[in-house]
Amino acid sequence: MANRGNFSGRIGFILAAAGSAVGLGNIWRFPYLAGENGGAIFLLVYLGCILLLCYPVMVGEIAIGRAANSDAYGSYNKLGGKKWGYLGLFGIIAGILILSFYNVVAGWAFGYFLHISFGDLLNLQDFGGFFGAFVNDILDVSSAHGLANSNLIFSLFFMVFTAIIVSQGIQKGIEASNKIMMPSLYLILLGIIVYSLTLPNAFSGVKFYLVPDFSELKIQTVVDGLKQAFFSLSLGMGALITYGSYLSKKENITSSAAVISIADTSVAFFSGLMVFPLVHFLAFKLNINPTEIGTSGPPLIFVVLPQIFHEMGPILGRIIGGSFFLLVCFAALTSTISLLEVPVAYLVDQKKYNRKGVVWAMALIIFVCGLPSMVSQGMMPALNKLGFYRGQDFLTFISDMSDICLTVGGCLMSIFISRRWGIHNMDAELANGNNNYMTSRVRKFLHITLKWIAPILLGFLSIVIILEKFFGIENLI
Ligand code: PFF
């Protein structure tokens, strides 16, 4: 296929794929899931999921994309026939769903970045009240805080940034932006960790995070660990098939996938190392028990952290808080571009549309699809408490549905490799760029996991996740 674009080399690919992986999932979702699931024990389960299930699925996805040299639909279609093409389409739809709500949360982060950098958010008394009003009133342009306070506009901006980058193509857009944002993200993260470790009571947070308490191990921990690992590594929906299709045959997929997994896991790990010392510092300042600070759910970074930045004083609070939300924006943007690239690649490869036109059209459609999630945070009561979904809001519903799509997609992908495309074909693809692959232990490991462990475990856990979402896990056990 002529002129699809490609990454300039290994580093460009790794940074872009790690950029896709590192996102709100690492900084926004990982710490609160860890907080809810006993800290260190969650970390252990999460690492187990990455090694045993996610790494093989990632290698498989990249191999499919590179072998077929096409988008998610085109790759399954080419290697497995038209019926399997539907699996690619399923992934593309899942990507659209994810981007629709993800862009809303990214817009909040962008709004918070502006508010904290301009200092107005740090003067507040009631951070929870501000967040509630902020997500509720999506069109408040009254400039009450010196800035337009509309998360509709923040999220529109975010989609525009995403579209500008994707419209520039693979090397000039996706690769170039990741080469700037990913190193900056690591630097900011490490800077904040170093600072947070100097705060009073920081090490009590480190202890909570790093010393496992095995009595906390429950089936919910495993379910949450797996969902999070899949989401965090951008697996199961064709993002890595698409990026893999732009990778040269000279590059080593198994080692690149290992670097991507480590890069992503380290950011999740470091985010916890940043957040828990901060939370324990706040507990110390307010003279309360850390467990009294609500670290569960989305409010962790939008309510608890701003309160901590407030405690740091007007200047440091602005610097540390502003850097933190810039970090979140970079992480989100490197992910939104990979999410937008999935349907764009499909329309460019299969329908032969012009890239720039498709990018803007898809960005607009997905932005509009995100509006129900945006108004579901209080503005529209019918979407705030869905009767058929145990009274949860629409954004949570879409986010949960995409978790299901990812694990189901990963399960079907491993079945595709082992029962349809053929594991020997995957081997042949992985041997490109890796002379030792055929005799390596990684090969044996991939065979066992993709043939047996991944289909069975992912199938089982997907069913548990579906039951959990619709009926509540407490009712299952
Ligand atoms: N991995 C991203 C995160 O952790 O925030 C989310 C994501 C991006 C999921 C791209 C799927 C995807 F294709």
Side-chain angles (χ1 to χ4, degrees), residues 27-60:
I27 301 168
W28 172 59
R29 224 165 77 151
F30 181 85
Y32 83 70
L33 281 178
E36 281 172 5
N37 285 292
I41 192 69
F42 180 77
L43 190 60
L44 276 181
V45 169
Y46 179 79
L47 291 176
C49 292
I50 300 268
L51 189 69
L52 202 62
L53 292 166
C54 297
Y55 173 74
V57 169
M58 178 183 288
V59 169

Side-chain angles (χ1 to χ4, degrees), residues 20-26 98 102 231-234 237 239 335 338-339:
S20 167
V22 171
L24 294 172
N26 304 59
I98 296 178
Y102 199 92
F231 183 79
S232 187
L233 286 175
S234 309
M237 50 137 294
S335 298
S338 73
L339 285 160

Side-chain angles (χ1 to χ4, degrees), residues 190-217:
L190 294 179
I192 302 180
I193 291 176
V194 170
Y195 174 71
S196 70
L197 289 178
T198 63
L199 294 170
N201 210 28
F203 280 88
S204 127
V206 174
K207 193 169 154 221
F208 168 77
Y209 187 47
L210 295 182
V211 182
D213 171 1
F214 286 93
S215 66
E216 292 273 352
L217 183 61

Side-chain angles (χ1 to χ4, degrees), residues 30-251:
F30 181 85
Y32 83 70
L33 281 178
E36 281 172 5
N37 285 292
I41 192 69
F42 180 77
L43 190 60
L44 276 181
V45 169
Y46 179 79
L47 291 176
C49 292
I50 300 268
L51 189 69
L52 202 62
L53 292 166
C54 297
Y55 173 74
V57 169
M58 178 183 288
V59 169
E61 280 202 19
I62 301 174
I64 291 174
R66 191 172 73 172
N69 189 27
S70 189
D71 62 284
Y73 168 83
S75 293
Y76 279 115
N77 191 12
K78 190 160 165 188
L79 304 179
K82 202 171 171 84
K83 271 199 204 135
W84 282 98
Y86 290 116
L87 178 55
L89 278 185
F90 174 75
I92 294 169
I93 293 169
I96 292 175
L97 279 185
I98 296 178
L99 184 52
S100 75
F101 82 82
Y102 199 92
N103 186 60
V104 172
V105 182
W108 299 346
F110 181 51
Y112 265 59
F113 165 65
L114 294 178
H115 277 301
I116 289 197
S117 305
F118 283 88
D120 52 1
L121 206 140
L122 296 174
N123 305 329
L124 300 176
Q125 294 302 324
D126 178 8
F127 291 87
F130 176 82
F131 180 62
F134 177 77
V135 295
N136 192 334
D137 194 352
I138 68 162
L139 253 181
D140 176 9
V141 281
S142 61
S143 299
H145 300 281
L147 275 168
N149 185 20
S150 158
N151 75 66
L152 183 92
I153 292 179
F154 295 135
S155 122
L156 183 63
F157 261 109
F158 215 87
M159 190 58 98
V160 169
F161 297 148
T162 307
I164 291 176
I165 295 173
V166 177
S167 69
Q168 299 303 310
I170 309 305
Q171 272 187 36
K172 279 211 275 173
I174 297 179
E175 183 173 328
S177 59
N178 274 293
K179 279 185 170 161
I180 298 171
M181 285 191 280
M182 287 304 284
S184 322
L185 184 153
Y186 269 97
L187 277 179
I188 300 175
L189 183 59
L190 294 179
I192 302 180
I193 291 176
V194 170
Y195 174 71
S196 70
L197 289 178
T198 63
L199 294 170
N201 210 28
F203 280 88
S204 127
V206 174
K207 193 169 154 221
F208 168 77
Y209 187 47
L210 295 182
V211 182
D213 171 1
F214 286 93
S215 66
E216 292 273 352
L217 183 61
K218 306 183 185 83
I219 184 135
Q220 180 75 58
T221 319
V222 180
V223 169
D224 279 351
L226 180 80
K227 277 188 313 203
Q228 174 60 13
F230 252 72
F231 183 79
S232 187
L233 286 175
S234 309
L235 298 176
M237 50 137 294
L240 291 175
I241 296 184
T242 311
Y243 273 11
S245 74
Y246 304 126
L247 180 65
S248 141
K249 296 272 186 201
K250 290 196 306 250
E251 308 301 341

Side-chain angles (χ1 to χ4, degrees), residues 277-454:
L278 288 176
V279 169
H280 284 241
F281 160 71
L282 182 65
F284 171 81
K285 270 275 189 178
L286 303 179
N287 204 9
I288 55 174
N289 193 313
T291 50
E292 289 173 47
I293 299 179
T295 51
S296 70
L300 173 60
I301 74 165
F302 292 107
V303 177
V304 178
L305 291 189
Q307 200 175 342
I308 297 169
F309 301 138
H310 169 79
E311 291 294 332
M312 290 174 182
I315 298 186
L316 254 183
R318 237 173 171 176
I319 297 174
I320 304 286
S323 311
F324 172 80
F325 280 102
L326 183 65
L327 160 79
V328 180
C329 289
F330 279 169
L333 192 54
T334 53
S335 298
T336 52
I337 56 185
S338 73
L339 285 160
L340 185 59
E341 178 60 24
V342 175
V344 165
Y346 165 69
L347 292 169
V348 170
D349 284 352
Q350 303 302 319
K351 311 284 176 200
K352 309 282 175 261
Y353 292 136
N354 161 284
R355 183 177 185 90
K356 284 208 160 68
V358 159
V359 166
W360 289 103
M362 276 318 297
L364 182 66
I365 293 172
I366 299 174
F367 177 75
V368 172
C369 292
L371 293 178
S373 295
M374 201 183 285
V375 297
S376 73
Q377 299 304 297
M379 193 175 168
M380 205 176 252
L383 292 175
N384 189 232
K385 287 199 166 42
L386 299 175
F388 69 93
Y389 200 58
R390 299 190 294 128
Q392 310 252 40
D393 64 73
F394 187 78
L395 190 151
T396 308
F397 171 67
I398 296 289
S399 151
D400 288 349
M401 290 310 106
S402 43
D403 281 338
I404 294 174
C405 292
L406 299 188
T407 44
V408 170
C411 172
L412 295 176
M413 190 227 64
S414 55
I415 295 176
F416 171 77
I417 292 187
S418 56
R419 315 288 194 271
R420 177 73 186 102
W421 184 34
I423 211 128
H424 56 284
N425 283 322
M426 182 189 80
D427 282 345
E429 186 54 46
L430 295 178
N432 289 318
N434 180 355
N435 295 334
N436 305 324
Y437 174 72
M438 286 301 186
T439 51
S440 67
R441 284 209 203 118
V442 176
R443 175 168 174 251
K444 288 200 190 104
F445 170 67
L446 290 174
H447 282 208
I448 299 176
T449 44
L450 287 171
K451 268 190 193 155
W452 303 110
I453 303 181

